């Protein structure tokens, strides 16, 4: 009697292959099949051995070519065939990565799973921009929220709690809803002058940055040529960015934000 192979739910990190964990790299290079997301960089995909099968299950906003239910089935089919499966996800599989949904399904089918953490986009963006997510006397906590809900449901966030000037707010997948996000944060008391940095394709050669404030972010994003994936860091910590972060920001940076 054959037993199903383990499915490894592996975080590929924010894009830079140097930020992969040693364990993630070892598993990628030993895989029989790699089931990968759209946000996994081409530099990381280049590390997959030629003998491994590749299955793309990437999603884009409003365009899910492979439904989540089918992804679950693909992982199950491959594991039951005895193939070592690496389910490769951008960032960390347990931070807005649906890793836990896939794990629940696989366990119900009797398939063993193992998580391999990855550097999440917020940490990668913090490192490349030099913006600390927490800083004594500036921000004593950090919150990660999603700016997009499944099936385009309305955002139902605790705006009163999130509008905290003493905290850093990191918004994932928020480009499409940044107008609603900024409006609600200001409605619940966060100042329009609160600094915001938007980062596109963090840690990759295509990284782009925009520094503005909460009152102007909606208009600035409309004007900027920034592509997904995009992350927003909101809070006073943005003022702590080093000079190189300022010089690499896009031309859309308002003058008042630059001198904050």
């Amino acid at each position: 009697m054959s037993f199903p192979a383990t499915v490894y739910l592996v975080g590929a990190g924010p894009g830079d292959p140097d930020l992969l964990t040693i364990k993630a790299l070892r598993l990628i290079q030993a895989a029989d099949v790699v089931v990968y997301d759209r946000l996994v960089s081409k530099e990381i995909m280049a590390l997959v051995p030629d003998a491994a099968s590749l299955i793309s299950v990437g999603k884009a906003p409003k365009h899910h070519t492979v439904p989540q239910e089918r992804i679950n089935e693909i992982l199950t089919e491959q594991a039951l065939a005895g193939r070592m499966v690496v389910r490769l996800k951008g960032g960390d599989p347990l931070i807005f990565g649906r890793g836990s949904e896939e794990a629940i399904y696989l366990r119900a089918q009797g398939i063993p799973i193992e998580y391999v953490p990855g550097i999440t986009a917020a940490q990668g963006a913090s490192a490349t921009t030099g913006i600390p997510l927490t800083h004594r006397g500036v921000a004593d906590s950090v919150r990660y929220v999603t700016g997009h809900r499944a099936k385009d449901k309305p955002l139902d966030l605790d705006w009163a709690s999130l509008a905290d000037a003493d905290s850093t707010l990191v918004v994932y997948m928020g480009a499409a809803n940044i107008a609603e996000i900024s409006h609600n944060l200001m409605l619940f008391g966060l100042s329009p002058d609160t600094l915001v940095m938007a980062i596109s394709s963090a840690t990759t050669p295509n990284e782009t940055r925009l520094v503005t404030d909460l009152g102007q972010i909606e208009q600035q994003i409309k004007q900027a040529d920034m592509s997904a994936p995009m992350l927003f860091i909101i809070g006073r910590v943005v003022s702590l960015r080093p000079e190189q972060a300022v010089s690499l920001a896009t031309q859309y940076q308002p003058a008042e934000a630059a001198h904050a």
Side-chain angles (χ1 to χ4, degrees):
M1 179 179 177
S2 61
F3 293 93
T6 298
V7 174
Y8 295 91
L9 301 164
V10 178
D16 182 349
D18 286 344
L19 296 178
L20 278 173
T21 65
I22 294 173
K23 186 171 185 177
L25 178 60
R26 176 173 58 80
L27 291 171
I28 289 169
Q29 295 183 331
D32 294 319
V33 58
V34 175
V35 181
Y36 65 99
D37 281 349
R38 178 179 63 95
L39 298 182
V40 179
S41 70
K42 63 181 186 298
E43 291 83 4
I44 289 174
M45 291 305 301
L47 300 172
V48 178
D50 293 339
S53 300
L54 298 178
I55 302 176
S56 173
V57 293
K59 301 182 182 72
K62 301 182 184 295
H63 187 64
H64 293 185
T65 56
V66 184
Q68 185 62 54
E69 293 77 10
R70 180 55 189 150
I71 295 173
N72 295 342
E73 293 170 353
I74 290 170
L75 296 174
T76 300
E77 292 163 1
Q78 296 295 324
L80 290 177
R83 309 186 78 193
M84 176 186 166
V85 182
V86 167
R87 173 68 171 106
L88 197 55
K89 295 172 171 290
D92 182 275
L94 292 176
I95 299 181
F96 306 125
R98 295 192 177 183
S100 54
E101 295 177 34
E102 293 169 0
I104 290 169
Y105 182 91
L106 291 165
R107 289 187 183 117
Q109 313 309 310
I111 296 169
I113 69 100
E114 185 175 330
Y115 290 118
V116 180
I119 292 176
T120 189
Q123 295 168 315
S126 174
T128 60
T129 63
I131 295 174
L133 297 179
T134 62
H135 187 88
R136 186 169 56 178
V138 178
D140 54 17
S141 64
V142 58
R143 302 278 295 274
Y144 293 172
V145 299
T146 177
H148 174 78
R149 294 192 64 199
K151 300 180 181 178
D152 298 316
K153 293 180 181 178
L155 290 177
D156 185 20
L157 301 175
D158 184 356
W159 299 109
S161 174
L162 296 176
D164 180 2
D166 295 322
S167 182
T168 301
L169 180 62
V170 180
V171 182
Y172 287 69
M173 301 171 287
N177 292 321
I178 193 59
E180 178 184 356
I181 292 165
S182 58
H183 171 77
N184 279 306
L185 290 173
M186 290 185 289
L187 182 66
F188 281 85
L190 208 54
S191 169
D193 296 329
T194 302
L195 287 174
V196 181
M197 178 176 274
I199 309 101
S200 171
S201 302
T203 79
T204 75
N206 297 321
E207 180 177 302
T208 308
R209 307 166 187 172
L210 182 152
V211 179
T212 184
D213 57 46
L214 201 60
Q216 300 184 75
I217 186 63
E218 176 186 359
Q219 188 60 37
Q220 293 291 329
I221 285 295
K222 288 179 180 178
Q223 296 174 0
D225 183 18
M226 299 177 70
S227 58
M230 196 180 305
L231 188 89
F232 296 87
I233 299 176
I234 302 171
R236 292 197 295 252
V237 292
V238 178
S239 67
L240 301 176
R241 63 198 184 279
E243 287 302 315
Q244 67 262 31
V246 177
S247 65
L248 289 173
T250 71
Q251 65 267 37
Y252 304 105
Q253 176 178 299
E256 59 268 30
H259 297 293

